[in-house]
Amino acid sequence: MAYRPKRTFRQRRAHSSDSDGAEEPSSEPGAPEEQAAPGLTEEGPPSGGGRVEVTARRVRGRGRGRGRGRVWASSRRVAGAAPRAEGGAGVPESRVVDLSTDEEGEAPHSSESKDDQSSSSNSSSSLEEEFSSIVNIPDAAFIQAARRKRELARAQDDYISLDVKHTSAIPGMKKNSDEDSESEPDDHEKRIPFTPKPQTLKQRMAEETTPRNETSEESQEDENQDIWEQQQMRKAVKITEGPDLDLSYSSEPQTVKKFDTLISLPPVNLEIIKKQLNTRLTLLQDTHRSHLREYEKYIQDVKSSKSTIQNLENSSNQALNFKFYKSMKIYVENLIDCLNEKIISIQEIESSMHALLLKQAMTLMKRRQDELKHESAYLQQLSRRAETSTNESLAVDEKTQWILEEIESRRSRRRQARTLSGNCDHQEGTSSDDELSSADMTDFQKTQGDISQDHKKIFEDVHDDFCDIQHILLKFQQWREKYSDSYYEAFISLCIPKLLNPLIRVQLIDWNPLKFDAIGIKQMPWFTSIEEFMASSMEDSKKEDSADKKILSTVINKTLIPRLTDFVEFIWDPLSTSQTTSLITHCRVILEELSTCANEVSKGKQDLLKSVVVRMKKAIEDDVFIPLYPKWTVENKTSPHSKFQERQFWSGVKLFHNILLWNGLLPDDTLQELGLGKLLNRYLIVALLNAIPGPDVVKKCDQIAAYLPEKWFQNSAMRTSVPQLENFIQFLLQSAHKLSRSEFRDEVKEIIPILVKIKALNQAESFIEEYHLDHLKSVIKEV
């Protein structure tokens, strides 16, 4: 008997007993069909010796896969049949095999047969036709008896035994058969369950306590179960092929013919084994040699890769490069964050300092204009009183009186200071008159000190690497020395001026270019640091047109020139010679030595020069005032009218001088228009024409000619002067004619050199010939 694996009991699909002859559809499309025979059970006395007819029905096997959650199977039982009439040993006894479904999954008992796996659908259909010809269909009484038998077995043992011996009669069977048939519904009336039956609490607990690791064992058991059932079904098919089968059970064990494996195997000897071993050894040796060759190849590849890595590390040093670039990136990001945080404080302190200086400048300018207006009004009242010849006292308000006293006190202090310094050749009116009162000066110094303290606190919590220009430039210098290509490709020369802008502005907060003692631009720390950085760039860089050469000019154009422009527009006083001289000194350094060397005509430079011109025009219009009084009022040099007129004239000459100091920075046409056209011809010559000819007039003319730039008259072939000086030349000639006929004849020889200096040579020669001044011809020849 074939090996029967351990059955696993599962809930199976319920089938009707009347549908035994129907075919079950496969669970999956294309499932293979197999022939299966149910287990056969012999019923009746063992000595009957009769033969039985085997009733078989074709069953389509359900395809099963390994590991499926559910396994579908079917089994058949044999129902007892009534014994045939005794007629002798040669008459066979009819038996009918019931193929109804076993709900508990009991396997049939049959003899072992050979497995035929190559049966096809055509052979199966032919076998079905052959079986149907020899099968006897049982009657209704037989079917009812078999059904009752199954029900009793289920009720008693919960399974149907395969080794049941049917007796000739069952007590009460016939009596109750009619009642059971009437009480039990037919198969077509039964409800077919399409869902699994609900499990009991015991079954659910058993499933939950089953270990998870038994899944593989269950799958293996399911596979063995499927194989066993297929084998049994094929054996049943093989049994039906014989003409007569004796299915009676005997008390003696059934002998099973064993298969002799030695008959099917070919003969084996030592030569064959040796040959196979040698062949196997040869294959292994070939495989080993191929593996050795691959191993050697891999070894060479590893050595080559290591060599390449070493060469790359030695040549480009990528790790160090990455580390350096990463550190520079972090450094620049931190620097930008620091400057963005501090820029607000820088702007606030800059605004505070600018507002303080602007307030001081506006205070001085307003005071000068108020004093000029009150003093002029006072002198007008004196003139009117002198004209009316009244002896009444002049009524002066308290404010005017206080202003006049204040003016006189400051003048007396300046005279004492000049006397102590030994400067006795000073003209009244050329002083700047920018002294502040002690209270105003104290308040100014206190506010300035507070701003300076706040200025020092801006970067007190910052490391030198992020606030010292020299340290910052050193970082970029290292980059340029190590990786010059990436340095220039990143356009660092364009970024440095923007990074340094806040730091330079901090250093310029205390810097006042209008003070004569202000530090020079070239002496500033930021200037020297940038110059050193540019010098090292010229040494290291192989490019003649290195972009680092423009860093200084860019810094000046973007940072320094805008600050100078603010000073010129709002704080600079063109009447102050000290302020003008200091401002021109710084502007000359910036505009001539730096911007012109870089061959740049920047917008900042143009804006600065334009603001200078605008400010000087405003000063000419607002601050120049030379009153004209009757000659009898100015003949007395000690009279208030004469002193006031003299001060205002020399104040105009001072402004004339300050304007012409911009020679070389401003175009000549602009200077001639401002100094000669607007100031000399409109104010100074008018005052000279109203003056009494004499040594004072000659001195004033000589001083005016001394302020004229020499480069305007450097052309040796030039015989005529600048067109704007024509009125001045005519006044000189007129004064010479008057002096030659007066007691100041000797002053004429002072006028001829003035004409020669301003290149009025034709006029000078004509005057010499007219007055026979041959001794002065040598002056013209020297020119």
Side-chain angles (χ1 to χ4, degrees):
M1 180 178 291
Y3 170 74
R4 179 180 179 180
K6 182 180 179 180
R7 293 297 304 271
T8 55
F9 294 94
R10 290 178 181 80
Q11 184 177 7
R12 302 182 182 275
R13 180 183 299 177
H15 295 275
S16 174
S17 60
D18 293 337
S19 60
D20 294 336
E23 294 182 359
E24 290 182 4
S26 176
S27 62
E28 296 178 3
E33 296 183 356
E34 296 180 355
Q35 299 292 334
L40 304 177
T41 303
E42 183 179 359
E43 190 176 283
S47 61
R51 302 183 62 88
V52 298
E53 293 183 0
V54 179
T55 303
R57 299 184 179 222
R58 182 173 177 268
V59 180
R60 179 173 298 176
R62 184 175 183 85
R64 298 175 178 85
R66 180 178 182 86
R68 291 175 61 89
R70 293 183 179 182
V71 178
W72 302 89
S74 62
S75 59
R76 309 294 181 183
R77 281 190 63 88
V78 178
R84 294 176 61 91
E86 296 178 1
V91 180
E93 185 178 2
S94 175
R95 303 291 184 190
V96 178
V97 180
D98 184 14
L99 303 179
S100 60
T101 303
D102 187 4
E103 293 181 1
E104 301 297 330
E106 184 175 347
H109 179 74
S110 63
S111 63
E112 182 177 4
S113 64
K114 297 283 286 184
D115 185 8
D116 186 6
Q117 297 181 355
S118 61
S119 61
S120 61
S121 61
N122 295 330
S123 61
S124 299
S125 60
S126 61
L127 288 174
E128 185 177 359
E129 294 176 356
E130 182 180 355
F131 295 158
S132 62
S133 62
I134 63 175
V135 171
N136 293 329
I137 300 175
D139 54 1
F142 182 81
I143 293 174
Q144 292 297 334
R147 183 181 299 169
R148 185 62 180 171
K149 179 108 174 136
R150 286 199 307 273
E151 293 299 330
L152 292 176
R154 290 188 185 122
Q156 294 176 1
D157 298 329
D158 199 22
Y159 70 94
I160 300 175
S161 175
L162 296 177
D163 198 14
V164 177
K165 300 297 183 177
H166 293 278
T167 57
S168 60
I170 298 176
M173 171 71 73
K174 293 181 179 181
K175 181 178 180 181
N176 297 330
S177 60
D178 295 339
E179 297 177 359
D180 293 339
S181 61
E182 292 177 359
S183 61
E184 184 177 0
D186 295 333
D187 291 340
H188 66 277
E189 296 178 357
K190 291 183 179 179
R191 180 176 295 178
I192 300 175
F194 291 94
T195 58
K197 294 182 179 179
Q199 296 179 347
T200 61
L201 178 61
K202 184 177 181 181
Q203 291 174 344
R204 289 198 302 270
M205 293 176 62
E207 288 183 0
E208 291 176 359
T209 56
T210 302
R212 298 296 182 183
N213 56 6
E214 293 182 0
T215 305
S216 59
E217 297 180 1
E218 292 181 358
S219 302
Q220 184 66 27
E221 292 177 359
D222 295 343
E223 185 177 1
N224 294 336
Q225 176 70 20
D226 297 342
I227 295 173
W228 181 82
E229 290 182 355
Q230 292 176 6
Q231 289 177 355
Q232 298 303 318
M233 294 169 69
R234 283 193 290 268
K235 290 175 183 177
V237 173
K238 289 295 183 180
I239 291 173
T240 58
E241 292 180 357
D244 294 322
L245 293 177
D246 187 3
L247 299 179
S248 62
Y249 285 91
S250 61
S251 59
E252 296 180 0
Q254 184 179 359
T255 60
V256 180
K257 183 179 181 182
K258 295 183 179 181
F259 177 74
D260 191 0
T261 57
L262 296 179
I263 298 175
S264 61
L265 295 176
V268 178
N269 53 27
L270 292 178
E271 292 296 331
I272 295 174
I273 295 174
K274 181 178 180 182
K275 184 178 180 180
Q276 292 180 353
L277 291 176
N278 289 334
T279 303
R280 180 62 176 169
L281 180 61
T282 303
L283 293 175
L284 292 176
Q285 290 176 350
D286 294 340
T287 304
H288 179 65
R289 283 192 294 269
S290 64
H291 289 172
L292 286 178
R293 286 192 296 269
E294 291 180 0
Y295 174 75
E296 293 175 357
K297 180 181 178 181
Y298 294 152
I299 292 295
Q300 294 296 329
D301 292 342
V302 170
K303 291 181 180 179
S304 177
S305 300
K306 289 182 178 180
S307 176
T308 304
I309 291 172
Q310 187 67 26
N311 293 334
L312 290 175
E313 289 179 352
N314 295 335
S315 61
S316 60
N317 208 355
Q318 295 293 333
L320 294 178
N321 294 353
F322 175 76
K323 183 177 180 181
F324 174 80
Y325 288 131
K326 185 176 181 180
S327 64
M328 283 300 300
K329 178 178 179 294
I330 296 174
Y331 173 76
V332 172
E333 289 177 351
N334 293 334
L335 176 61
I336 293 174
D337 292 341
C338 174
L339 297 178
N340 288 336
E341 181 179 350
K342 299 296 182 180
I343 192 65
I344 299 176
S345 302
I346 295 172
Q347 291 175 350
E348 291 177 352
I349 296 176
E350 270 185 339
S351 301
S352 300
M353 181 62 74
H354 183 75
L356 179 64
L357 297 176
L358 178 61
K359 180 181 178 182
Q360 183 188 28
M362 295 301 294
T363 300
L364 295 175
M365 186 180 301
K366 187 175 183 302
R367 187 186 70 180
R368 181 173 64 237
Q369 293 176 355
D370 290 343
E371 291 176 352
L372 180 62
K373 182 174 65 175
H374 285 84
E375 189 173 6
S376 177
Y378 173 74
L379 293 176
Q380 288 291 342
Q381 293 179 1
L382 288 177
S383 299
R384 285 196 299 269
R385 192 185 69 169
E387 290 177 357
T388 57
S389 300
T390 59
N391 295 326
E392 297 178 0
S393 61
L394 184 63
V396 181
D397 58 352
E398 294 181 359
K399 183 178 181 180
T400 303
Q401 187 65 31
W402 179 82
I403 290 175
L404 294 176
E405 292 176 358
E406 185 68 22
I407 293 172
E408 189 59 33
S409 65
R410 291 199 306 271
R411 287 172 183 167
S412 61
R413 287 194 296 268
R414 287 195 294 270
R415 291 190 197 100
Q416 292 177 1
R418 288 194 298 268
T419 302
L420 294 176
S421 63
N423 185 11
C424 299
D425 194 19
H426 181 78
Q427 298 294 333
E428 289 287 343
T430 57
S431 298
S432 298
D433 194 16
D434 54 359
E435 297 90 351
L436 293 174
S437 63
S438 58
D440 292 340
M441 183 59 68
T442 301
D443 184 51
F444 175 82
Q445 291 177 353
K446 181 179 181 302
T447 306
Q448 189 178 24
D450 295 340
I451 295 174
S452 299
Q453 291 295 327
D454 295 339
H455 161 230
K456 294 178 182 179
K457 294 178 181 179
I458 294 177
F459 289 107
E460 66 179 1
D461 58 341
V462 180
H463 194 271
D464 291 342
D465 289 342
F466 300 96
C467 63
D468 193 323
I469 294 178
Q470 188 172 4
H471 286 72
I472 295 173
L473 292 177
L474 184 60
K475 292 281 187 180
F476 290 101
Q477 184 176 351
Q478 294 175 356
W479 186 357
R480 185 179 60 197
E481 292 174 356
K482 292 182 178 180
Y483 314 102
S484 59
D485 294 338
S486 62
Y487 173 85
Y488 289 108
E489 289 175 359
F491 298 99
I492 301 301
S493 58
L494 300 179
C495 302
I496 289 178
K498 296 181 180 180
L499 291 175
L500 301 182
N501 177 270
L503 301 175
I504 296 174
R505 288 167 59 182
V506 170
Q507 296 186 20
L508 294 177
I509 289 177
D510 291 335
W511 181 64
N512 188 351
L514 303 179
K515 289 185 176 182
F516 68 94
D517 58 348
I519 184 174
I521 295 176
K522 290 187 176 181
Q523 285 73 40
M524 291 184 179
W526 64 267
F527 189 94
T528 56
S529 300
I530 294 176
E531 273 192 333
E532 293 175 359
F533 181 77
M534 292 171 57
S536 62
S537 172
M538 296 176 184
E539 295 176 0
D540 300 337
S541 177
K542 299 179 181 179
K543 302 178 181 179
E544 297 180 357
D545 56 344
S546 175
D548 290 344
K549 298 178 182 178
K550 301 180 181 180
I551 292 178
L552 186 57
S553 61
T554 305
V555 168
I556 291 175
N557 290 330
K558 300 295 183 181
T559 305
L560 192 59
I561 288 181
R563 184 166 179 79
L564 280 176
T565 303
D566 291 340
F567 272 95
V568 169
E569 291 180 354
F570 303 104
I571 302 174
W572 174 46
D573 182 11
L575 288 175
S576 174
T577 303
S578 61
Q579 292 185 11
T580 304
T581 304
S582 179
L583 180 63
I584 289 174
T585 301
H586 296 299
C587 290
R588 197 176 297 276
V589 172
I590 293 171
L591 301 179
E592 287 186 356
E593 297 186 11
L594 299 177
S595 296
T596 55
C597 292
N599 295 323
E600 293 183 358
V601 182
S602 64
K603 184 178 181 298
K605 175 182 176 181
Q606 295 176 354
D607 294 341
L608 175 61
L609 297 179
K610 183 178 178 180
S611 63
V612 170
V613 174
V614 171
R615 184 67 186 89
M616 289 191 296
K617 285 182 180 180
K618 188 174 185 299
I620 294 173
E621 296 172 357
D622 297 343
D623 298 327
V624 177
F625 173 70
I626 304 175
L628 299 178
Y629 296 111
K631 288 186 178 181
W632 63 268
T633 59
V634 296
E635 287 178 353
N636 186 6
K637 299 298 181 182
T638 59
S639 65
H641 300 81
S642 177
K643 290 181 180 180
F644 181 71
Q645 189 182 49
E646 287 294 313
R647 285 195 299 268
Q648 291 304 115
F649 178 82
W650 285 110
S651 176
V653 173
K654 180 182 180 181
L655 179 60
F656 177 77
H657 175 227
N658 293 341
I659 291 174
L660 295 180
L661 286 176
W662 290 94
N663 176 43
L665 298 178
L666 293 176
D668 293 341
D669 297 340
T670 303
L671 290 178
Q672 292 172 6
E673 179 186 357
L674 290 174
L676 304 181
K678 293 183 177 297
L679 183 56
L680 179 62
N681 295 332
R682 186 179 299 178
Y683 293 98
L684 299 181
I685 291 180
V686 173
L688 290 174
L689 290 173
N690 193 42
I692 300 174
D696 293 338
V697 174
V698 176
K699 183 179 180 180
K700 292 176 181 177
C701 292
D702 184 60
Q703 190 66 48
I704 291 172
Y707 291 151
L708 294 174
E710 294 182 357
K711 75 170 188 175
W712 289 359
F713 314 104
Q714 288 180 353
N715 189 0
S716 59
M718 185 178 180
R719 303 292 296 179
T720 59
S721 185
V722 179
Q724 285 85 351
L725 290 175
E726 187 63 27
N727 294 332
F728 183 63
I729 294 173
Q730 293 299 326
F731 173 77
L732 290 175
L733 292 174
Q734 182 181 354
S735 300
H737 287 294
K738 291 180 180 180
L739 291 174
S740 62
R741 293 191 297 268
S742 66
E743 58 186 57
F744 302 107
R745 185 176 299 176
D746 295 337
E747 298 295 331
V748 174
K749 64 181 180 181
E750 300 293 336
I751 295 177
I752 299 300
I754 297 174
L755 293 173
V756 173
K757 181 180 180 180
I758 62 177
K759 290 296 181 176
L761 300 180
N762 295 333
Q763 291 86 346
E765 289 176 356
S766 299
F767 182 81
I768 290 173
E769 291 178 358
E770 181 180 357
Y771 289 94
H772 304 286
L773 301 175
D774 297 336
H775 62 282
L776 296 177
K777 290 183 179 180
S778 59
V779 178
I780 299 176
K781 291 180 181 179
E782 290 177 359
V783 179

